[in-house]
Coordinates of all heavy atoms in Angstrom, one line a residue:
S1 N -19.0 42.6 11.9 CA -19.7 42.5 13.1 C -21.1 41.9 13.0 O -21.6 41.1 13.8 CB -19.9 43.9 13.8 OG -18.7 44.5 14.0
A2 N -21.8 42.2 12.0 CA -23.1 41.8 11.8 C -23.3 40.5 11.1 O -24.4 39.8 11.2 CB -24.0 42.9 11.0
T3 N -22.3 40.0 10.3 CA -22.6 38.8 9.5 C -21.6 37.7 9.9 O -21.6 36.7 9.0 CB -22.6 39.2 8.0 OG1 -21.3 39.7 7.7 CG2 -23.5 40.2 7.6
S4 N -20.9 37.8 10.9 CA -20.1 36.6 11.3 C -21.0 35.8 12.2 O -21.2 36.2 13.3 CB -18.9 37.1 12.0 OG -17.9 36.0 12.2
T5 N -21.2 34.6 11.7 CA -22.2 33.7 12.4 C -21.7 32.4 12.8 O -20.5 32.0 12.2 CB -23.5 33.5 11.5 OG1 -23.2 32.9 10.3 CG2 -24.2 34.9 11.2
Q6 N -22.3 31.6 13.6 CA -21.8 30.3 13.9 C -21.8 29.3 12.6 O -20.9 28.5 12.5 CB -22.7 29.7 14.9 CG -22.6 30.4 16.4 CD -21.4 30.3 17.1 OE1 -20.5 29.4 16.7 NE2 -21.1 31.0 18.1
W7 N -22.8 29.6 11.7 CA -22.7 28.7 10.5 C -21.9 29.3 9.5 O -21.5 28.4 8.5 CB -24.2 28.5 10.1 CG -24.9 29.8 9.8 CD1 -25.1 30.6 8.7 CD2 -25.6 30.5 10.8 NE1 -25.8 31.5 8.9 CE2 -26.3 31.6 10.2 CE3 -26.1 30.3 12.0 CZ2 -27.1 32.6 10.8 CZ3 -26.9 31.3 12.7 CH2 -27.3 32.4 12.1
A8 N -21.5 30.5 9.5 CA -20.6 31.1 8.3 C -19.8 32.2 9.0 O -20.1 33.5 8.6 CB -21.5 31.6 7.2
P9 N -18.8 31.9 9.8 CA -18.0 33.0 10.3 C -17.1 33.6 9.4 O -16.6 33.0 8.3 CB -17.2 32.2 11.4 CG -17.0 30.8 10.9 CD -18.4 30.5 10.0
W10 N -16.7 34.8 9.6 CA -15.6 35.5 8.9 C -14.3 35.2 9.4 O -14.1 35.0 10.7 CB -16.0 37.0 8.9 CG -16.9 37.6 7.9 CD1 -18.2 37.9 8.2 CD2 -16.6 37.8 6.6 NE1 -18.6 38.5 6.9 CE2 -17.8 38.4 6.0 CE3 -15.4 37.6 5.8 CZ2 -17.9 38.7 4.7 CZ3 -15.6 38.0 4.3 CH2 -16.8 38.5 3.8
Y11 N -13.3 35.2 8.5 CA -12.0 35.1 8.8 C -11.2 36.5 8.3 O -11.3 36.5 7.0 CB -11.2 33.8 8.4 CG -11.9 32.7 9.1 CD1 -13.0 31.9 8.6 CD2 -11.1 32.1 10.2 CE1 -13.3 30.7 9.3 CE2 -11.6 31.0 10.8 CZ -12.8 30.4 10.5 OH -13.2 29.3 11.2
V12 N -10.6 37.1 9.1 CA -9.8 38.3 8.6 C -8.4 37.9 8.4 O -7.6 37.7 9.4 CB -10.1 39.6 9.7 CG1 -9.2 40.7 9.1 CG2 -11.4 39.9 9.9
V13 N -8.0 37.8 7.2 CA -6.7 37.3 6.9 C -5.6 38.6 6.6 O -6.0 39.3 5.7 CB -6.8 36.4 5.6 CG1 -5.4 36.1 5.1 CG2 -7.5 35.1 5.9
P14 N -4.6 38.6 7.5 CA -3.6 39.6 7.2 C -3.0 39.5 5.7 O -2.6 38.5 5.2 CB -2.5 39.4 8.1 CG -3.2 38.4 9.2 CD -4.1 37.6 8.4
A15 N -3.1 40.6 4.9 CA -2.9 40.5 3.6 C -1.5 41.4 3.0 O -1.3 41.4 2.0 CB -4.0 41.0 2.8
D16 N -0.8 41.9 4.0 CA 0.3 42.7 3.7 C 1.6 41.8 3.1 O 2.4 42.2 2.4 CB 0.9 43.6 4.9 CG 0.0 44.8 5.0 OD1 -0.9 45.0 4.2 OD2 0.5 45.8 5.7
H17 N 1.5 40.5 3.6 CA 2.4 39.6 3.2 C 1.7 38.5 2.3 O 0.9 37.7 2.8 CB 3.3 38.9 4.2 CG 3.9 39.8 5.2 ND1 5.2 40.4 4.8 CD2 3.6 40.3 6.4 CE1 5.5 41.1 5.7 NE2 4.6 41.2 6.7
K18 N 1.8 38.5 0.9 CA 1.0 37.7 0.1 C 1.1 36.2 0.5 O 0.1 35.5 0.6 CB 1.3 37.9 -1.4 CG 1.0 39.3 -1.8 CD 1.3 39.4 -3.3 CE 1.0 40.8 -3.9 NZ 1.4 41.0 -5.3
W19 N 2.3 35.8 0.8 CA 2.5 34.3 0.9 C 1.8 33.9 2.2 O 1.2 32.8 2.4 CB 4.0 34.1 1.1 CG 4.8 34.9 2.2 CD1 5.4 36.0 2.1 CD2 4.8 34.4 3.6 NE1 5.9 36.3 3.3 CE2 5.6 35.3 4.2 CE3 4.5 33.4 4.4 CZ2 5.9 35.3 5.6 CZ3 4.8 33.4 5.7 CH2 5.5 34.4 6.3
F20 N 1.7 34.8 3.3 CA 1.1 34.4 4.5 C -0.5 34.4 4.2 O -1.2 33.6 4.9 CB 1.4 35.5 5.6 CG 0.9 35.0 6.9 CD1 1.4 34.0 7.7 CD2 -0.1 35.8 7.5 CE1 0.9 33.6 8.8 CE2 -0.7 35.4 8.7 CZ -0.2 34.2 9.3
A21 N -0.9 35.4 3.4 CA -2.4 35.4 3.2 C -2.8 34.1 2.5 O -3.8 33.5 2.7 CB -2.8 36.5 2.2
R22 N -2.0 33.6 1.7 CA -2.3 32.4 0.9 C -2.2 31.2 1.9 O -3.0 30.2 1.7 CB -1.3 32.2 -0.3 CG -1.6 33.2 -1.4 CD -0.2 33.3 -2.2 NE -0.5 34.5 -3.1 CZ 0.5 35.0 -3.9 NH1 1.8 34.5 -3.7 NH2 0.3 36.1 -4.7
V23 N -1.3 31.1 2.7 CA -1.2 30.1 3.7 C -2.5 30.0 4.6 O -3.1 29.0 4.9 CB 0.0 30.3 4.7 CG1 -0.1 29.2 5.9 CG2 1.2 30.0 3.9
C24 N -2.8 31.2 5.1 CA -4.1 31.3 5.9 C -5.4 30.8 5.3 O -6.2 30.1 5.8 CB -4.3 32.9 6.4 SG -3.0 33.3 7.6
T25 N -5.6 31.4 3.9 CA -6.6 31.0 3.1 C -6.7 29.5 3.0 O -7.9 28.8 3.1 CB -6.7 31.7 1.8 OG1 -6.7 33.1 2.0 CG2 -8.0 31.4 1.0
A26 N -5.7 28.8 2.7 CA -5.6 27.4 2.4 C -6.0 26.7 3.7 O -6.7 25.6 3.8 CB -4.2 27.0 1.9
A27 N -5.4 27.2 4.9 CA -5.7 26.6 6.1 C -7.2 26.7 6.5 O -7.8 25.6 7.1 CB -4.9 27.2 7.2
V28 N -7.8 27.7 6.2 CA -9.3 27.9 6.5 C -10.1 27.0 5.7 O -11.0 26.4 6.2 CB -9.7 29.4 6.3 CG1 -11.3 29.5 6.5 CG2 -9.1 30.3 7.4
L29 N -9.7 26.9 4.5 CA -10.5 26.1 3.6 C -10.4 24.6 3.9 O -11.3 23.8 3.9 CB -10.0 26.3 2.1 CG -10.7 25.9 0.8 CD1 -12.3 26.3 1.2 CD2 -10.3 26.3 -0.4
V30 N -9.0 24.2 4.2 CA -8.8 22.8 4.6 C -9.6 22.5 5.9 O -10.1 21.4 6.1 CB -7.3 22.6 4.7 CG1 -7.1 21.2 5.4 CG2 -6.6 22.6 3.5
H31 N -9.6 23.5 6.9 CA -10.3 23.3 8.1 C -11.8 22.9 7.8 O -12.4 22.1 8.5 CB -10.1 24.5 9.0 CG -10.9 24.5 10.2 ND1 -10.7 23.8 11.2 CD2 -12.0 25.2 10.6 CE1 -11.5 23.9 12.3 NE2 -12.3 24.8 11.9
T32 N -12.4 23.7 6.8 CA -13.7 23.5 6.6 C -14.0 22.1 5.9 O -15.0 21.4 6.3 CB -14.3 24.6 5.6 OG1 -14.1 25.9 6.1 CG2 -15.6 24.4 5.2
L33 N -13.1 21.7 5.0 CA -13.3 20.3 4.4 C -13.0 19.2 5.4 O -13.6 18.2 5.4 CB -12.2 20.3 3.3 CG -12.7 21.1 2.1 CD1 -11.5 21.3 1.0 CD2 -13.9 20.5 1.3
M34 N -12.1 19.4 6.4 CA -11.8 18.5 7.5 C -13.2 18.2 8.4 O -13.5 17.2 8.7 CB -10.8 18.9 8.3 CG -9.4 18.7 7.8 SD -8.2 19.2 9.1 CE -6.6 18.2 8.4
A35 N -13.9 19.3 8.5 CA -15.1 19.3 9.3 C -16.3 18.6 8.5 O -16.9 17.7 9.1 CB -15.6 20.7 9.7
I36 N -16.2 18.7 7.2 CA -17.2 17.9 6.4 C -16.7 16.4 6.4 O -17.5 15.5 6.5 CB -17.1 18.5 5.0 CG1 -17.7 19.9 5.0 CG2 -18.1 17.5 4.2 CD1 -17.7 20.5 3.5
N37 N -15.4 16.3 6.4 CA -14.8 14.9 6.2 C -15.6 14.0 5.1 O -16.1 12.9 5.5 CB -14.9 14.2 7.6 CG -14.0 13.0 7.6 OD1 -13.0 12.9 7.0 ND2 -14.4 12.1 8.4
P38 N -15.4 14.5 3.9 CA -16.1 13.6 2.8 C -15.4 12.4 2.7 O -14.2 12.2 2.9 CB -16.0 14.5 1.6 CG -14.9 15.4 1.9 CD -14.8 15.6 3.4
Q39 N -16.1 11.4 2.1 CA -15.6 10.0 2.0 C -16.0 9.4 0.7 O -17.0 9.8 0.1 CB -16.2 9.0 3.2 CG -16.0 9.5 4.6 CD -14.6 9.3 4.9 OE1 -13.9 8.5 4.7 NE2 -14.0 10.3 5.7
Y40 N -15.1 8.5 0.3 CA -15.4 7.9 -1.0 C -16.6 7.1 -0.9 O -16.6 6.3 0.1 CB -14.2 7.2 -1.5 CG -13.0 8.1 -1.9 CD1 -11.9 8.2 -1.3 CD2 -13.1 8.7 -3.2 CE1 -10.7 9.0 -1.7 CE2 -12.0 9.6 -3.6 CZ -10.9 9.6 -2.8 OH -9.8 10.4 -3.3
P41 N -17.4 6.9 -1.8 CA -18.7 6.0 -1.8 C -18.2 4.5 -1.5 O -17.3 4.1 -2.1 CB -19.4 6.3 -3.2 CG -18.9 7.5 -3.6 CD -17.5 7.7 -3.1
Q42 N -19.1 3.8 -0.7 CA -18.7 2.4 -0.5 C -19.3 1.6 -1.7 O -20.5 1.8 -2.2 CB -19.6 1.9 0.8 CG -18.8 2.5 2.0 CD -17.4 2.1 2.3 OE1 -17.1 0.8 2.2 NE2 -16.6 3.0 2.6
V43 N -18.6 0.6 -2.1 CA -18.9 -0.2 -3.3 C -19.6 -1.3 -2.8 O -19.3 -2.0 -1.8 CB -17.8 -0.6 -4.1 CG1 -18.1 -1.4 -5.3 CG2 -17.0 0.7 -4.6
S44 N -20.8 -1.7 -3.3 CA -21.6 -2.8 -3.0 C -21.0 -4.1 -3.3 O -20.1 -4.2 -4.2 CB -23.0 -2.7 -3.5 OG -23.0 -2.9 -4.9
E45 N -21.4 -5.2 -2.6 CA -21.0 -6.5 -3.0 C -21.2 -6.9 -4.4 O -20.3 -7.5 -5.1 CB -21.6 -7.6 -1.9 CG -21.1 -7.5 -0.6 CD -19.6 -7.7 -0.5 OE1 -19.1 -8.5 -1.1 OE2 -18.9 -6.9 0.3
E46 N -22.3 -6.5 -5.0 CA -22.6 -6.9 -6.3 C -21.6 -6.1 -7.3 O -21.2 -6.7 -8.2 CB -24.1 -6.4 -6.6 CG -24.5 -6.5 -7.9 CD -24.4 -8.0 -8.5 OE1 -24.4 -8.9 -7.8 OE2 -24.3 -8.2 -9.8

């Protein structure tokens, strides 16, 4: 309640089924990386 923020929200992942917990964790992590959308550096003409 106190520490889920806009900049760092909590995700409560159901853990009774291990396989589903892993799917959810991967999805949250990928979602974060998609928001960052990192790109390979551009190579200069030189």
Side-chain angles (χ1 to χ4, degrees):
S1 301
T3 61
S4 190
T5 59
Q6 293 293 346
W7 54 91
W10 273 103
Y11 290 88
V12 179
V13 168
D16 276 7
H17 303 283
K18 292 180 180 179
W19 59 268
F20 186 71
R22 293 160 187 167
V23 169
C24 293
T25 301
V28 173
L29 198 49
V30 169
H31 175 70
T32 300
L33 288 165
M34 279 183 163
I36 295 173
N37 194 24
Q39 301 295 318
Y40 290 109
Q42 293 294 317
V43 179
S44 66
E45 288 300 321
E46 174 62 20

